[in-house]
Amino acid sequence: MAGWATRLLDVNGAFLNGQFQNKEQLYMRVPQGLERFYPEDVLLLLLWTLYDLKQAAMQFWRELQKAFSYMRYKRNKADPCLVYKWVDGYLVIWLSWVDDCLNAGPTSL
């Protein structure tokens, strides 16, 4: 579209430091190479989400949706990963998937 710009964003560290929902508890084995610092057969309680956890991606998405809601973006009913709002008569669109976002809107904004 004429006069529009798009920006592709990769959110670094998107899945780090997310909090688990509903007091969910998740344990992991001691990472390889660190066994000598822990007693045998110990499990570690995760306090924050990590990469490769399904909970991490979902928690990031929830936080992202809260931020969009705070900025008064509306969620598209057909695609929950697309949010939009009108700014000074111009449409601004955000599309998110996993830890990437695409922003599209007029170059004047």
Side-chain angles (χ1 to χ4, degrees), residues 13-62:
F15 300 155
L16 299 176
N17 300 318
Q19 295 182 343
F20 292 107
Q21 292 292 309
N22 303 322
K23 302 190 186 231
E24 182 177 19
Q25 290 188 336
L26 195 64
Y27 294 85
M28 66 178 274
R29 297 185 195 280
V30 175
Q32 189 175 10
L34 298 177
E35 300 94 341
R36 64 186 171 138
F37 299 109
Y38 294 92
E40 191 173 322
D41 297 327
V42 71
L43 293 176
L44 303 175
L45 173 65
L46 291 176
L47 301 177
W48 305 100
T49 59
L50 298 173
Y51 278 98
D52 293 332
L53 294 178
K54 65 179 181 179
Q55 294 91 336
M58 181 55 83
Q59 185 58 26
F60 172 70
W61 188 79
R62 284 185 187 120

Side-chain angles (χ1 to χ4, degrees), residues 86-100:
W86 292 90
V87 178
D88 297 330
Y90 295 102
L91 180 63
V92 178
I93 299 170
W94 281 89
L95 182 62
S96 60
W97 63 99
V98 189
D99 65 344
D100 298 315

